Amino acid sequence: MDKYFICLANSYKRGGRCIAGVEVLVNQDDHWEIVRNKDGSPHWIRPIDQHTEYGEILEGEARHIPLLSVVKLRDVVPCPHNSHSEDVNYMQMTTIGMISGNHEILDLFTDNIHSEIFYTTELAISPETYAMGNYSLMMIHPENTQFQEDPTKNRARYRMLFSYHGANYDFSITDPVFYERVALQPDLITSLSDTYLTLSIGLEYEGRHHKLIAGLLIPSNKNNHYPFEIIHQGRLQEKNVCPFTKKEISNCKKAFVVPSQGGLSLCIKNKDGGEHFILLDDDISIEPWERINLKKALIVTYIDSMGKEIKRLRLTVPTKSSLLMNILNFFTN
């Protein structure tokens, strides 16, 4: 069965990402409505990658899924685990558009059922509480928010202090986009007061399951006349094309095609131990695991209808797959 959800969390998770959101129904007119549980709370979904150690989504696949994306999961199979009742396995994950994020919309995703965050007002829960629980995701609109630098981390990391239903909380922030925003706009730490938080229970760490801020959403001031309509990215406009630099080529240990939820991607493993992924252009005829010479590839930067830059890989010579296909067509026609 295929399912759709609005992405409300794309956070750090054991070397990859944790993606989660509220399930929605999408009709043929591209209008959406929230799926709710029997108690009226939004029904959450957390896709789990069956091929990674902790179910984390690979970094190269996850970075293309911003918050408020409408995500389609193909062949969904529930795989709940104690409090992580929202976990599902899937075959493919793709984004089909975005939704607006003003107060009117974000209020629909908030949890009006649980007065305490994940069973208690503590910062973490025990494995016993985790084993008996039945939910691990919720969105809230907190009060009295304040950011505080986390002294236990080697690099700049923040916690948020806030109030919810009369109780005070202090959670770590694991939303990568938040840190990107702070790097570009440092005064955000002191100026941001109105925000919605996606909260999650993490995997066991040092004998406890810690409560985390997995997504931080700043409401838009724009009023959408059609608030329940999907905003499609539309046709991509090509901005520029450039080859890989000599430094990138010399630092490349190997580059090969891998299957991903967003299509096929090029995995580039560097000699210094790092790796990164680039989605392939849709018209490339190629098979997974085929090796690619970076000297024969180009990076294409596109602009979508919302002004966002998207990078794709383009090849300057035919691949082995396309050559074989041409030979086969020659002898069969």
Side-chain angles (χ1 to χ4, degrees), residues 59-127:
E59 181 76 21
E61 300 166 358
R63 70 165 61 99
H64 304 291
I65 306 177
L67 300 188
L68 298 180
S69 294
V70 183
V71 182
K72 180 180 180 180
L73 292 178
R74 185 167 63 84
D75 296 340
V76 173
V77 178
C79 58
H81 182 265
N82 300 330
S83 284
H84 279 211
S85 60
E86 308 89 352
D87 292 1
V88 300
N89 291 327
Y90 62 98
M91 286 296 295
Q92 186 181 45
M93 178 164 57
T94 56
T95 58
I96 65 170
M98 301 281 292
I99 66 165
S100 59
N102 54 26
H103 283 91
E104 178 186 5
I105 295 298
L106 297 181
D107 283 340
L108 297 174
F109 300 122
T110 56
D111 190 313
N112 299 312
I113 303 300
H114 303 98
S115 59
E116 293 181 330
I117 296 177
F118 303 136
Y119 320 114
T120 71
T121 58
E122 298 177 353
L123 304 184
I125 60 175
S126 66

Side-chain angles (χ1 to χ4, degrees), residues 144-303:
N144 306 318
T145 58
Q146 180 183 350
F147 293 99
Q148 185 177 77
E149 194 161 356
D150 193 335
T152 65
K153 305 298 181 182
N154 295 326
R155 54 180 178 171
R157 284 292 179 263
Y158 289 92
R159 305 182 67 85
M160 178 181 275
L161 286 64
F162 61 90
S163 300
Y164 179 69
H165 282 271
N168 295 322
Y169 295 89
D170 173 9
F171 292 171
S172 178
I173 302 173
T174 59
D175 181 350
V177 175
F178 165 77
Y179 290 103
E180 293 174 4
R181 286 178 172 174
V182 171
L184 296 173
Q185 188 183 351
D187 63 348
L188 192 68
I189 296 299
T190 55
S191 63
L192 184 58
S193 59
D194 186 12
T195 180
Y196 289 75
L197 306 178
T198 297
L199 308 178
S200 176
I201 299 176
L203 299 175
E204 186 174 348
Y205 176 70
E206 296 182 344
R208 304 277 281 173
H209 291 268
H210 293 265
K211 304 173 184 179
L212 307 167
I213 298 174
L216 192 151
L217 284 150
I218 303 172
S220 167
N221 293 323
K222 296 180 180 179
N223 292 319
N224 186 357
H225 296 293
Y226 306 97
F228 304 107
E229 187 172 29
I230 297 173
I231 307 167
H232 284 277
Q233 293 180 342
R235 186 165 184 167
L236 299 177
Q237 180 180 355
E238 189 174 303
K239 180 181 179 182
N240 59 49
V241 181
C242 64
F244 286 87
T245 65
K246 292 182 178 179
K247 183 178 180 180
E248 289 173 325
I249 294 173
S250 63
N251 189 40
C252 175
K253 182 178 180 180
K254 60 179 178 179
F256 53 96
V257 176
V258 296
S260 67
Q261 285 88 344
L264 293 176
S265 295
L266 181 70
C267 175
I268 301 175
K269 291 186 175 292
N270 297 322
K271 295 175 182 177
D272 59 12
E275 68 176 21
H276 63 280
F277 298 80
I278 303 176
L279 279 173
L280 271 60
D281 258 351
D282 294 334
D283 58 351
I284 295 180
S285 176
I286 197 168
E287 295 294 329
W289 316 118
E290 188 168 328
R291 297 285 287 266
I292 297 295
N293 185 343
L294 294 189
K295 293 181 179 179
K296 301 175 181 178
L298 300 169
I299 300 176
V300 185
T301 302
Y302 294 98
I303 303 292

Side-chain angles (χ1 to χ4, degrees), residues 294-321:
L294 294 189
K295 293 181 179 179
K296 301 175 181 178
L298 300 169
I299 300 176
V300 185
T301 302
Y302 294 98
I303 303 292
D304 66 19
S305 59
M306 291 176 284
K308 179 185 175 184
E309 288 193 356
I310 299 174
K311 295 187 182 298
R312 298 281 177 86
L313 184 86
R314 180 180 297 171
L315 300 179
T316 58
V317 297
T319 64
K320 293 178 181 178
S321 300

